[in-house]
Amino acid sequence: MDYIKGITFAPFACQGTFEKEKTYQSLTVMKERTRADFIILVPNGLQDTPQSETIDYTGKATIGDEELEKFIAYAKSLGLRVALKPTVNCKNGTWRAHICFFDEDVVCEPKWSNWFAAYTEFQLHYARIAQKCGCEMFIAGCEMVQAEKRETEWRKLIADIRKEYTGLVSYNTDKYQENRVKWWDCVDVISSSGYYPIDQWEQELDRIEKVVKKFHKPFFFAEAGCMSVAGSNRIPNNWCIKGEADLKGQAEWYQTMFEACSKRDWVGGFCIWDWPAWLYQEENAEKQMDYAVYAKPAENIIKKYYEL
C-alpha cells in the first residue's frame, strides 16, 4: 500500500450533492490547499433503529450512483486515489456502533442473519461501483463495534466483496477497538478511527503497533480529526461538545498527531475527517466550530505534513 495523504470528502452526501459545480470546485480547492492525494467517499445507508433489519441506500438521503461515478472520475482526473466506504447510520440518531441483536436468532425478534443479508447487499452494490470506477480501495464499513464480534459473518462478507472487487479491501474499526477485531487476517489493510486525546497518542500507538505486528498488515487511520471547539482536542471523538471556538487547539491536536505518528514507520497514512462539499466563506472559518479544516490553522498543519 502506498502512503495515504487523504481526506474524507463530503461524507454522507445526499442525492444531488455531486451534481453541483460547487462540489467539484470544493474538491479542487481541497487538493490545492492540502496536497492530499487520496479521498474517501462515504455513501450513506440508513436503517430506522439499531435493531432494524433493512438498510435503505436508494433514497434521497444517499448520493445517486451516476453522480457518484462521475465524481470519482473527476477525482481521478485530478490525480487523486479514491476509496469507497459505504457506511450505515440509524435514522433515530443512535450511533452505528450500537447496532446489535441477540447472539442467536430468536423467533419473532430481529436477527443478525437478516441484518447481515441487508448489509451485504449494501456493501456489494458499492463494491461493484468501486470495481467499475477503478477505485484503489474499498472499506467495508465503519465503527460497527457491536457487530464486529460476528467473525463468521464478516469473513463471508469480505469474501463476497472480493468476488466483485479486485483492489485493496479494508475495514474501519473505531478508536480503541483495533486489538478487539479477530478477523484482520482476511482484509488487506487494517484501518481505524484516530480520535485520540492530544496527550494519549503515544500510548495508543504502542497498543495499535502490537496489532499491526501480529497480523503483518499495512495500517492507516481511515478517519482522524478534531473539532475547532475548546476542549475537543482532549475528547476529539465527541462531536456533541459545546464551547467557544478554538482554532489553535484544533491545530495543536493535528501537530501532535502527525509528530507522534511520524515516529512510527508502520503508520501508512491518514484520511482527515473531513472536507465539506460546499465551502463556507474563508473569512468565516473561525465561526465554523466543527471538524472541517478549510481555511483554519489546522489546514496549514496538514499541508506541511502532506508536502513531505
Side-chain angles (χ1 to χ4, degrees):
M1 181 186 77
D2 293 336
Y3 193 87
I4 291 172
K5 302 175 181 180
I7 294 180
T8 298
F9 184 84
F12 312 127
C14 64
Q15 190 178 102
T17 301
F18 287 1
E19 294 177 344
K20 297 184 182 299
E21 181 60 30
K22 58 184 177 179
T23 308
Y24 284 76
Q25 293 171 352
S26 180
L27 184 68
T28 303
V29 170
M30 184 213 77
K31 183 176 187 296
E32 292 172 348
R33 293 183 64 126
T34 67
R35 302 297 193 267
D37 64 7
F38 190 105
I39 60 169
I40 292 178
L41 300 176
V42 189
N44 191 26
L46 290 173
Q47 57 185 75
D48 290 335
T49 74
Q51 281 69 55
S52 298
E53 298 174 309
T54 59
I55 299 171
D56 178 20
Y57 56 90
T58 62
K60 292 183 178 180
T62 304
I63 203 74
D65 290 351
E66 184 176 352
E67 60 180 303
L68 175 60
E69 292 174 12
K70 289 181 178 178
F71 197 76
I72 292 170
Y74 179 70
K76 294 179 77 65
S77 77
L78 295 178
L80 294 165
R81 291 175 288 158
V82 180
L84 286 190
K85 184 174 73 173
T87 300
V88 69
N89 289 300
C90 300
K91 292 181 182 179
N92 70 354
T94 304
W95 181 32
R96 71 189 77 91
H98 298 291
I99 294 172
C100 193
F101 305 89
F102 292 153
D103 288 342
E104 302 293 334
D105 285 358
V106 176
V107 175
C108 297
E109 296 290 347
K111 301 172 180 62
W112 276 120
S113 57
N114 292 339
W115 183 84
F116 264 104
Y119 190 74
T120 299
E121 177 187 310
F122 172 50
Q123 293 293 315
L124 294 185
H125 176 80
Y126 289 102
R128 296 182 189 105
I129 291 177
Q131 180 70 18
K132 177 181 179 181
C133 296
C135 292
E136 282 77 9
M137 185 181 291
F138 185 85
I139 305 173
C142 176
E143 302 172 352
M144 306 294 293
V145 177
Q146 296 293 337
E148 289 168 5
K149 63 187 177 183
R150 305 292 294 190
E151 181 176 351
T152 299
E153 289 92 334
W154 282 101
R155 289 184 179 279
K156 183 179 186 305
L157 171 63
I158 300 302
D160 288 345
I161 288 170
R162 292 191 186 282
K163 295 175 184 177
E164 305 291 345
Y165 174 74
T166 58
L168 293 174
V169 177
S170 184
Y171 168 75
N172 178 181
T173 194
D174 191 34
K175 59 203 174 296
Y176 305 106
Q177 306 303 314
E178 295 92 347
N179 56 303
R180 299 181 182 278
V181 176
K182 307 300 183 185
W183 38 272
W184 285 130
D185 59 288
C186 73
V187 300
D188 302 306
V189 179
I190 298 171
S191 62
S192 74
S193 294
Y195 298 102
Y196 290 114
I198 191 169
D199 61 349
Q200 293 181 17
W201 271 102
E202 295 294 348
Q203 69 186 55
E204 298 307 333
L205 288 170
D206 286 343
R207 180 181 54 79
I208 298 169
E209 184 171 358
K210 296 176 183 178
V211 178
V212 174
K213 288 184 176 180
K214 175 182 178 180
F215 287 96
H216 303 288
K217 299 283 184 177
F219 172 89
F220 80 111
F221 286 107
E223 291 186 18
C226 174
M227 296 175 70
S228 52
V229 178
S232 182
N233 61 16
R234 294 190 295 276
I235 43 172
N237 58 296
N238 184 358
W239 61 88
C240 297
I241 190 170
K242 304 295 182 183
E244 300 294 323
D246 185 10
L247 278 66
K248 181 174 181 289
Q250 182 188 43
E252 289 173 344
W253 184 88
Y254 274 102
Q255 181 68 33
T256 300
M257 178 188 73
F258 283 124
E259 284 182 357
C261 291
S262 67
K263 295 180 287 186
R264 315 282 181 137
D265 60 7
W266 50 268
V267 176
F270 311 83
C271 252
I272 302 304
W273 187 278
D274 62 347
W275 192 276
W278 306 330
L279 296 175
Y280 42 82
Q281 294 295 315
E282 190 166 349
E283 59 269 23
N284 292 330
E286 64 182 19
K287 300 177 183 178
Q288 305 296 317
M289 293 186 290
D290 54 16
Y291 286 98
V293 298
Y294 170 63
K296 299 177 184 178
E299 180 190 84
N300 296 325
I301 301 296
I302 294 166
K303 180 181 178 182
K304 179 179 75 172
Y305 279 93
Y306 280 7
E307 283 183 327
L308 294 177

Short mmCIF file of all heavy atoms in Angstrom, two decimals, residues 12-17 43-46 55-65 67 91 122 125-126:
data_model
loop_
_atom_site.label_atom_id
_atom_site.label_comp_id
_atom_site.label_asym_id
_atom_site.label_seq_id
_atom_site.Cartn_x
_atom_site.Cartn_y
_atom_site.Cartn_z
N PHE A 12 -21.53 11.21 3.74
CA PHE A 12 -22.98 11.07 3.85
C PHE A 12 -23.73 12.10 2.99
O PHE A 12 -24.82 12.56 3.35
CB PHE A 12 -23.44 11.17 5.31
CG PHE A 12 -22.65 10.32 6.26
CD1 PHE A 12 -22.06 10.85 7.40
CD2 PHE A 12 -22.47 8.97 6.00
CE1 PHE A 12 -21.33 10.07 8.27
CE2 PHE A 12 -21.73 8.17 6.87
CZ PHE A 12 -21.16 8.72 8.00
N ALA A 13 -23.14 12.45 1.86
CA ALA A 13 -23.77 13.42 0.96
C ALA A 13 -25.10 12.88 0.46
O ALA A 13 -25.25 11.70 0.15
CB ALA A 13 -22.85 13.72 -0.21
N CYS A 14 -26.08 13.76 0.36
CA CYS A 14 -27.40 13.37 -0.11
C CYS A 14 -27.47 13.43 -1.63
O CYS A 14 -26.57 13.95 -2.30
CB CYS A 14 -28.48 14.25 0.52
SG CYS A 14 -28.38 15.98 0.06
N GLN A 15 -28.54 12.89 -2.16
CA GLN A 15 -28.75 12.84 -3.60
C GLN A 15 -28.65 14.24 -4.20
O GLN A 15 -29.23 15.19 -3.69
CB GLN A 15 -30.12 12.24 -3.89
CG GLN A 15 -30.39 11.91 -5.34
CD GLN A 15 -31.76 11.26 -5.51
OE1 GLN A 15 -32.72 11.89 -5.92
NE2 GLN A 15 -31.84 9.98 -5.14
N GLY A 16 -27.91 14.35 -5.29
CA GLY A 16 -27.76 15.63 -5.98
C GLY A 16 -26.53 16.43 -5.59
O GLY A 16 -26.13 17.35 -6.32
N THR A 17 -25.90 16.09 -4.47
CA THR A 17 -24.75 16.86 -3.99
C THR A 17 -23.61 16.85 -5.00
O THR A 17 -22.97 17.87 -5.26
CB THR A 17 -24.24 16.29 -2.65
OG1 THR A 17 -25.29 16.36 -1.68
CG2 THR A 17 -23.05 17.08 -2.14
N PRO A 43 -20.76 6.70 0.87
CA PRO A 43 -22.19 6.54 0.59
C PRO A 43 -22.95 6.15 1.86
O PRO A 43 -22.48 5.35 2.67
CB PRO A 43 -22.23 5.42 -0.45
CG PRO A 43 -20.86 5.40 -1.05
CD PRO A 43 -19.94 5.79 0.06
N ASN A 44 -24.13 6.70 2.00
CA ASN A 44 -24.91 6.59 3.22
C ASN A 44 -25.97 5.50 3.11
O ASN A 44 -26.79 5.50 2.20
CB ASN A 44 -25.59 7.94 3.48
CG ASN A 44 -26.21 8.06 4.84
OD1 ASN A 44 -25.80 7.41 5.78
ND2 ASN A 44 -27.22 8.92 4.94
N GLY A 45 -25.95 4.56 4.05
CA GLY A 45 -27.04 3.59 4.18
C GLY A 45 -27.80 3.89 5.46
O GLY A 45 -27.19 4.23 6.47
N LEU A 46 -29.11 3.77 5.43
CA LEU A 46 -29.91 4.14 6.59
C LEU A 46 -30.82 2.99 7.04
O LEU A 46 -31.50 2.36 6.22
CB LEU A 46 -30.77 5.36 6.28
CG LEU A 46 -30.03 6.69 6.12
CD1 LEU A 46 -31.00 7.77 5.64
CD2 LEU A 46 -29.37 7.10 7.42
N ILE A 55 -31.82 -1.96 5.25
CA ILE A 55 -30.96 -0.80 5.04
C ILE A 55 -31.35 -0.15 3.71
O ILE A 55 -31.36 -0.81 2.67
CB ILE A 55 -29.48 -1.21 5.01
CG1 ILE A 55 -29.08 -1.84 6.35
CG2 ILE A 55 -28.58 0.00 4.69
CD1 ILE A 55 -27.70 -2.48 6.34
N ASP A 56 -31.65 1.13 3.76
CA ASP A 56 -32.04 1.88 2.56
C ASP A 56 -30.85 2.68 2.05
O ASP A 56 -30.29 3.50 2.79
CB ASP A 56 -33.20 2.82 2.89
CG ASP A 56 -33.62 3.67 1.69
OD1 ASP A 56 -33.30 3.28 0.55
OD2 ASP A 56 -34.24 4.72 1.91
N TYR A 57 -30.46 2.46 0.79
CA TYR A 57 -29.39 3.25 0.20
C TYR A 57 -29.80 3.79 -1.18
O TYR A 57 -28.94 4.17 -1.99
CB TYR A 57 -28.10 2.42 0.09
CG TYR A 57 -28.25 1.12 -0.67
CD1 TYR A 57 -28.05 1.06 -2.05
CD2 TYR A 57 -28.59 -0.05 -0.01
CE1 TYR A 57 -28.18 -0.13 -2.74
CE2 TYR A 57 -28.73 -1.25 -0.69
CZ TYR A 57 -28.52 -1.27 -2.05
OH TYR A 57 -28.66 -2.46 -2.74
N THR A 58 -31.10 3.82 -1.44
CA THR A 58 -31.59 4.29 -2.74
C THR A 58 -32.42 5.56 -2.63
O THR A 58 -32.88 6.08 -3.64
CB THR A 58 -32.43 3.20 -3.41
OG1 THR A 58 -33.57 2.90 -2.60
CG2 THR A 58 -31.62 1.93 -3.62
N GLY A 59 -32.62 6.06 -1.43
CA GLY A 59 -33.45 7.25 -1.25
C GLY A 59 -32.68 8.55 -1.43
O GLY A 59 -31.49 8.56 -1.77
N LYS A 60 -33.35 9.65 -1.16
CA LYS A 60 -32.76 10.97 -1.36
C LYS A 60 -31.65 11.29 -0.37
O LYS A 60 -30.86 12.22 -0.60
CB LYS A 60 -33.86 12.04 -1.28
CG LYS A 60 -34.85 11.97 -2.43
CD LYS A 60 -35.87 13.09 -2.36
CE LYS A 60 -36.82 13.04 -3.55
NZ LYS A 60 -37.84 14.14 -3.50
N ALA A 61 -31.56 10.53 0.70
CA ALA A 61 -30.51 10.77 1.69
C ALA A 61 -29.16 10.22 1.25
O ALA A 61 -28.15 10.45 1.92
CB ALA A 61 -30.90 10.16 3.02
N THR A 62 -29.15 9.49 0.13
CA THR A 62 -27.92 8.84 -0.34
C THR A 62 -27.58 9.32 -1.75
O THR A 62 -28.44 9.47 -2.60
CB THR A 62 -28.10 7.31 -0.36
OG1 THR A 62 -28.48 6.87 0.95
CG2 THR A 62 -26.81 6.62 -0.77
N ILE A 63 -26.31 9.55 -1.96
CA ILE A 63 -25.82 10.02 -3.25
C ILE A 63 -26.24 9.06 -4.36
O ILE A 63 -26.24 7.84 -4.19
CB ILE A 63 -24.28 10.17 -3.19
CG1 ILE A 63 -23.79 11.14 -4.24
CG2 ILE A 63 -23.58 8.85 -3.28
CD1 ILE A 63 -24.09 12.57 -3.91
N GLY A 64 -26.61 9.59 -5.52
CA GLY A 64 -27.00 8.75 -6.64
C GLY A 64 -25.82 8.06 -7.28
O GLY A 64 -24.71 8.59 -7.29
N ASP A 65 -26.06 6.88 -7.83
CA ASP A 65 -24.96 6.10 -8.42
C ASP A 65 -24.28 6.83 -9.57
O ASP A 65 -23.05 6.87 -9.67
CB ASP A 65 -25.49 4.75 -8.91
CG ASP A 65 -25.89 3.82 -7.79
OD1 ASP A 65 -25.61 4.15 -6.62
OD2 ASP A 65 -26.49 2.77 -8.08
N GLU A 67 -24.13 10.07 -10.35
CA GLU A 67 -23.35 11.23 -9.94
C GLU A 67 -22.10 10.80 -9.17
O GLU A 67 -21.04 11.44 -9.26
CB GLU A 67 -24.19 12.20 -9.11
CG GLU A 67 -24.76 11.63 -7.83
CD GLU A 67 -25.60 12.63 -7.05
OE1 GLU A 67 -25.07 13.70 -6.71
OE2 GLU A 67 -26.80 12.34 -6.79
N LYS A 91 -31.51 6.19 11.52
CA LYS A 91 -32.33 7.38 11.35
C LYS A 91 -32.70 8.03 12.69
O LYS A 91 -32.91 9.24 12.75
CB LYS A 91 -33.62 7.04 10.59
CG LYS A 91 -33.41 6.67 9.14
CD LYS A 91 -34.75 6.37 8.48
CE LYS A 91 -34.59 5.94 7.03
NZ LYS A 91 -35.90 5.63 6.40
N PHE A 122 -25.94 -4.05 0.59
CA PHE A 122 -25.48 -2.66 0.61
C PHE A 122 -24.00 -2.56 0.22
O PHE A 122 -23.62 -1.76 -0.65
CB PHE A 122 -25.72 -2.12 2.02
CG PHE A 122 -25.16 -0.77 2.33
CD1 PHE A 122 -25.38 0.32 1.50
CD2 PHE A 122 -24.42 -0.59 3.50
CE1 PHE A 122 -24.87 1.57 1.83
CE2 PHE A 122 -23.90 0.65 3.83
CZ PHE A 122 -24.12 1.74 2.99
N HIS A 125 -23.24 -3.62 -3.53
CA HIS A 125 -23.66 -2.62 -4.50
C HIS A 125 -22.52 -1.63 -4.76
O HIS A 125 -22.21 -1.31 -5.92
CB HIS A 125 -24.89 -1.87 -3.97
CG HIS A 125 -25.34 -0.76 -4.87
ND1 HIS A 125 -26.10 -0.97 -6.00
CD2 HIS A 125 -25.12 0.59 -4.82
CE1 HIS A 125 -26.34 0.18 -6.60
NE2 HIS A 125 -25.75 1.14 -5.90
N TYR A 126 -21.88 -1.18 -3.69
CA TYR A 126 -20.81 -0.20 -3.86
C TYR A 126 -19.48 -0.84 -4.22
O TYR A 126 -18.62 -0.20 -4.84
CB TYR A 126 -20.71 0.67 -2.61
CG TYR A 126 -21.89 1.60 -2.51
CD1 TYR A 126 -22.95 1.32 -1.65
CD2 TYR A 126 -22.00 2.72 -3.34
CE1 TYR A 126 -24.06 2.16 -1.59
CE2 TYR A 126 -23.10 3.54 -3.30
CZ TYR A 126 -24.13 3.26 -2.43
OH TYR A 126 -25.24 4.07 -2.39
#
